[in-house]
Amino acid sequence: MLYKYRSLENYKYFVDIIIKERLYAANYKELNDPMEGQYLYSNTPTSNKFSEIITNLKQQIRIVSLSREENHPLMWAHYANGHRGVAIGVEVDENVNFVKKINYTSSFLKLEDFEGLPDIEVARTILSNKINVWSYEQEERILVEDNSFFARVKVCEVIAGRNMSNQDYSLMKELVNRLNPNIAVRRANNYIDEINW
């Protein structure tokens, strides 16, 4: 199971996920890391041409960012409106979706290290690497390469943040139950119990 943390401030997007069982795939420049998709290369005609090809391919790949963590305090804070949003648990069919686990590294990849590999594989690899500071996200990505803005998933559960009001929780739970009673709805566990002091 993978998790999409999100705010409920724009409820129509949440409803779209529940009804249509799809997640929006963004261009890498829309993601929150300003260093997303960066790499190193030497300033030679060959490297410049290779870089141009890779840049064009990166523009054609759209990304859905998911986490293996269902209850991480920073994920709730950063992506789910300060623990007032939700974590949506989904199953991803890898026969339909191209899924890559993020490789966390201490530096940017060097483009020259990829010479000889297919260009699309180089673009995928670059978009599947992030610097170590982001490792808490435990991210896996769906890479959408068919000009679609969405990836199909199976929504299995909706976890409400600990700061969601009882009124909002009741409304959200009733809505999900009416739209798809097979989706489990619950509140997040107390992650404090999981921290080693």
Side-chain angles (χ1 to χ4, degrees):
M1 182 96 61
L2 297 172
Y3 297 88
K4 182 69 176 176
Y5 287 82
R6 62 167 298 113
S7 167
L8 292 181
E9 288 184 334
N10 196 331
Y11 225 74
K12 70 180 180 181
Y13 296 131
F14 172 70
V15 172
D16 185 83
I17 293 168
I18 301 302
I19 292 175
K20 297 181 179 175
E21 292 196 298
R22 64 183 189 175
L23 295 171
Y24 176 71
N27 180 281
Y28 76 96
K29 291 184 176 182
E30 295 175 67
L31 303 178
N32 64 347
D33 178 2
M35 304 310 288
E36 191 73 57
Q38 299 295 311
Y39 52 87
L40 303 173
Y41 66 99
S42 57
N43 190 16
T44 65
T46 302
S47 287
N48 289 337
K49 182 64 177 169
F50 192 23
S51 178
E52 185 179 317
I53 291 167
I54 298 307
T55 298
N56 288 335
L57 284 170
K58 288 190 309 178
Q59 291 289 351
Q60 296 170 33
I61 299 171
R62 300 186 71 82
I63 297 167
V64 177
S65 297
L66 301 166
S67 176
R68 292 185 300 279
E69 293 283 334
E70 74 171 66
N71 198 29
H72 195 286
L74 291 178
M75 297 295 284
W76 282 111
H78 295 162
Y79 301 111
N81 192 24
H83 303 252
R84 288 180 289 278
V86 294
I88 302 169
V90 299
E91 289 180 358
V92 180
D93 184 348
E94 293 190 30
N95 294 317
V96 176
N97 296 293
F98 188 83
V99 180
K100 290 274 280 186
K101 191 177 194 177
I102 290 293
N103 179 44
Y104 296 100
T105 62
S106 58
S107 63
F108 294 119
L109 299 174
K110 294 178 183 173
L111 194 56
E112 286 76 13
D113 292 341
F114 295 103
E115 287 181 14
L117 285 177
D119 295 342
I120 189 65
E121 192 55 41
V122 175
R124 289 171 180 158
T125 302
I126 288 169
L127 291 174
S128 301
N129 276 268
K130 296 180 80 168
I131 56 175
N132 287 331
V133 70
W134 298 97
S135 63
Y136 73 91
E137 293 183 340
Q138 293 298 299
E139 185 177 347
E140 293 192 28
R141 290 184 166 175
I142 302 173
L143 302 181
V144 179
E145 301 173 7
D146 63 359
N147 296 319
S148 173
F149 284 81
F150 297 94
R152 294 274 172 208
V153 295
K154 179 182 179 187
V155 179
C156 298
E157 69 176 331
V158 177
I159 305 168
R162 294 184 54 78
N163 287 341
M164 183 183 287
S165 72
N166 289 335
Q167 181 180 6
D168 287 348
Y169 176 73
S170 294
L171 176 63
M172 185 268 298
K173 184 173 183 176
E174 182 177 350
L175 175 69
V176 171
N177 286 336
R178 287 184 184 219
L179 294 175
N180 186 340
N182 296 319
I183 298 173
V185 180
R186 63 182 172 90
R187 282 203 181 267
N189 296 330
N190 185 353
Y191 55 80
I192 297 298
D193 297 336
E194 301 167 14
I195 296 174
N196 294 324
W197 295 97

